[in-house]
Structures are given as C-alpha cells and as structure tokens.
Amino acid sequence: QGCTQKYIVKNYFYYYLFKFSAALGEEIFYITFLPFTYWNIDHSVSRRMIIVWSIVMYIGQVSKDILKWPRPLSPPVVKLEMRTNAEYGMPSTHAMAATAISFSFFIATMNQYKYPFELGLIAAFVFSTLVCLSRLYTGMHTVLDVIGGALISAVLLVLLYPAWDTIDHLLLTSPFCPLFSIVVPLVLCYNYPKLDYYSPTRGDTTTILGAAAGATVGFWLNNQYAASAYTGKSVQAGPPLITSTMLFVLARFFVGILVVLLTRWVVKSAVLGMLGYRYKFPVGDLEARRRLEVEVPYKFVTYSSVGFTATVIVPLLHELLGLM
C-alpha cells in the first residue's frame, strides 16, 4: 500500500524534524547507534540496550499482529510513509523502541558516568518524545497507538531492570548461551503469528532477533576468549587529548560501519543466492523472498552475521589498526 493522498509541505522545519525523528526508530539508527555504543562508550551499556531492545521489539511486533488494530485511515490522515502502511498500528513499535533505547541507555550510564541526572532524564524524554510525535506527524499512528507503545515499553523496562545483572551474567558465562541465543530466536521467527496477507512485521522481527542473536554470541565469545577491548573511561585531560580521542572515536565508527555494511551486503547476496538455487527463484523475485522458508533464514543469517561482525570482527580490526 502506498500514500493515498498528495500533500504540499508548508512547514519545512517540522517536516524534516519529524522525518528525521522517525528515522531514529528504524534500521539506519539501530545499525549505527548500537554498534557505536559498543565500540566507543561501554560494553555493558551496549549489552543491556541490545537485550532490552530485542525483547521489547519482539513483544511489540507480535502484539501488532495479534491485536490487528488498523492504522489511521487516509483520508482524512495524510501518510508520509509507504513501507509500514501494510502493518497494523497498535502498539507503535517506534514509540516502544525509542522509549526502550533512550531510557535503558540513561539507566545503564547514570551510575557509571558523571553527568547531571536531570540532564540525562531530559535527554531520554526528549528523544523518545520526538520519535513518538513523528508517528503522529507522519500519519502512521493514532495517539492511542503511541501512548500504548510507550507505556508497554516503560512497563517492560521496569520488569526487566531487576534482572539486568543476572541476564547479563548468564549471557556472558553460561556454556549454553550460544545455543540458546540462536535456537530460541529462530523458533520465535518460524512460529510468528500468521496473517491473511503479507506484512513486513515478520521480516523486521527476524532482522531484530537475528542481530541480537549474533551480537549475544559475540558478547559470549569476547568474554570467554578475549580481554575487554574498550574501557569506556571518560576523558579528563585538556583539548589536545580530547581532539585526539575524538579522532579515534570517529575512526573506529567509520571503519566499523564500513565493515558492518559490507558484511550485510556480502552475506545477504550469498544467502539469497543459495536459497534461490534451493527453491528455484531468481534473486530479484520479491514475492519469493517473502515466503517463510526464504525470508526467515535469509534475514536471520544476514543480521546475525552483522551482529557478530560488530561485536567480534570489528573490535579485532580496530586492535589490528591501532585504533584502541
């Protein structure tokens, strides 16, 4: 389904502000911010965000396809996005992801780094609020969808917080972690709620769970066989050292993103090629790629490779290049 109404932009500030804010709840943000946190800020913060994000998003995506509440009708609403129009509306997973990521980052860092508590709280609130408002501005959700998504995410954060340290410890030390991290997400993806028509929710869920699975295996391997690569200590020296540190941060980020994107492209092409050969369809056949036996393995393998590369291969490359 596409946009059903033409529109004229009269306020470019709001238009670009909320289009940008909407992108903060999409893959382009996940694939940059979460690895950036791991490479440049703190391993433990990144681990907690990824675990919370994957759990929250799975529950949100499944809830959509169980509740089957429609998105706002157009007209009268003018929709500025097309891809997600085929999905149901309640709850807003953009609102859920924004709330989960911003507040889990705030909670995980407030006792480890020196910054004003009020500033961190305001930053988390502003981030999540902008993403929530973007869903209303773009016409993709009702107010109830957005409030429901934010509240569900907040409740899940409250429920998960007491178990953060226990979950983190098990994921780093349990010998069953790699098997659990791969098998459970795969079972959940293959048993995703069935719909009467195709929706991208199953594919998006597989992408999220695959990335989290690959990253979790990487966390476990790093803890078992490698020393902690980044200490996450704050810089206390003068401007020359701060400038040098920023250059290393940027270098780690751009090298890492290049490797991650290259991994995604290579693995996706290889897996689609093998599945196309197995099930006799051309790689460019979008309908064939939406079939369960194709969509789940190609997206899971692709994004688990991305998660593993970001947490294992990229840090090794950073060390090899002297970017530690």
Side-chain angles (χ1 to χ4, degrees):
Q1 300 180 37
C3 294
T4 56
Q5 286 182 286
K6 294 182 179 179
Y7 58 88
I8 298 174
V9 178
K10 293 183 178 180
N11 190 317
Y12 283 96
F13 174 76
Y14 287 144
Y15 179 78
Y16 287 112
L17 172 64
F18 290 123
K19 289 287 280 185
F20 173 77
S21 300
L24 298 178
E26 297 172 359
E27 181 183 349
I28 188 172
F29 175 72
Y30 304 146
I31 209 169
T32 52
F33 178 72
L34 295 177
F36 178 89
T37 305
Y38 188 76
W39 300 329
N40 292 301
I41 299 180
D42 192 284
H43 282 183
S44 64
V45 172
S46 180
R47 289 196 304 269
R48 284 161 172 75
M49 281 199 301
I50 289 172
I51 297 305
V52 169
W53 166 69
S54 59
I55 293 173
V56 165
M57 288 298 287
Y58 175 77
I59 291 174
Q61 296 284 67
V62 169
S63 298
K64 278 185 180 183
D65 290 337
I66 291 176
L67 294 173
K68 298 183 178 180
W69 287 19
R71 289 185 182 270
L73 294 176
S74 177
V77 168
V78 177
K79 295 187 177 181
L80 306 187
E81 296 180 11
M82 292 184 291
R83 179 182 178 275
T84 55
N85 203 26
E87 298 179 10
Y88 290 108
M90 177 68 174
S92 167
T93 45
H94 271 72
M96 292 184 72
T99 303
I101 289 177
S102 59
F103 281 94
S104 61
F105 181 83
F106 167 60
I107 294 168
T109 58
M110 65 181 182
N111 292 324
Q112 295 192 43
Y113 297 93
K114 294 180 179 179
Y115 62 81
F117 174 86
E118 296 79 6
L119 181 62
L121 184 62
I122 291 171
F125 179 78
V126 169
F127 179 93
S128 56
T129 300
L130 281 174
V131 176
C132 290
L133 290 177
S134 75
R135 308 318 288 156
L136 303 178
Y137 182 86
T138 55
M140 301 311 296
H141 286 286
T142 64
V143 174
L144 185 59
D145 294 343
V146 169
I147 292 176
L151 286 178
I152 292 170
S153 192
V155 169
L156 289 172
L157 270 173
V158 171
L159 294 176
L160 288 170
Y161 178 70
W164 269 16
D165 291 339
T166 302
I167 294 172
D168 191 51
H169 177 72
L170 288 173
L171 291 179
L172 291 178
T173 60
S174 172
F176 301 105
C177 173
L179 181 64
F180 179 87
S181 300
I182 298 297
V183 172
V184 172
L186 270 176
V187 170
L188 293 176
C189 292
Y190 274 108
N191 291 277
Y192 193 82
K194 293 180 174 60
L195 297 177
D196 297 330
Y197 63 91
Y198 177 78
S199 167
T201 48
R202 185 183 65 202
D204 291 344
T205 303
T206 305
T207 294
I208 293 165
L209 294 184
T216 303
V217 173
F219 298 150
W220 183 85
L221 279 175
N222 287 338
N223 187 67
Q224 298 297 315
Y225 302 108
S228 179
Y230 313 115
T231 61
K233 294 179 180 178
S234 57
V235 176
Q236 302 292 338
L241 184 54
I242 293 175
T243 302
S244 175
T245 301
M246 287 304 298
L247 289 176
F248 274 89
V249 166
L250 292 174
R252 283 196 293 263
F253 175 71
F254 285 114
V255 168
I257 287 300
L258 180 62
V259 174
V260 164
L261 294 177
L262 181 62
T263 299
R264 184 179 65 169
W265 177 75
V266 170
V267 176
K268 179 180 178 179
S269 301
V271 174
L272 275 177
M274 288 187 288
L275 290 170
Y277 178 79
R278 168 67 177 82
Y279 294 107
K280 310 301 180 187
F281 68 87
V283 174
D285 187 344
L286 294 180
E287 287 301 317
R289 287 162 59 171
R290 291 174 173 179
R291 286 154 44 188
L292 174 66
E293 64 271 22
V294 175
E295 183 175 60
V296 170
Y298 111 70
K299 290 206 168 184
F300 191 87
V301 172
T302 297
Y303 284 91
S304 60
S305 299
V306 166
F308 184 83
T309 297
T311 53
V312 176
I313 306 301
V314 170
L316 289 175
L317 183 59
H318 286 165
E319 187 172 7
L320 183 64
L321 296 175
L323 296 176
M324 302 289 286

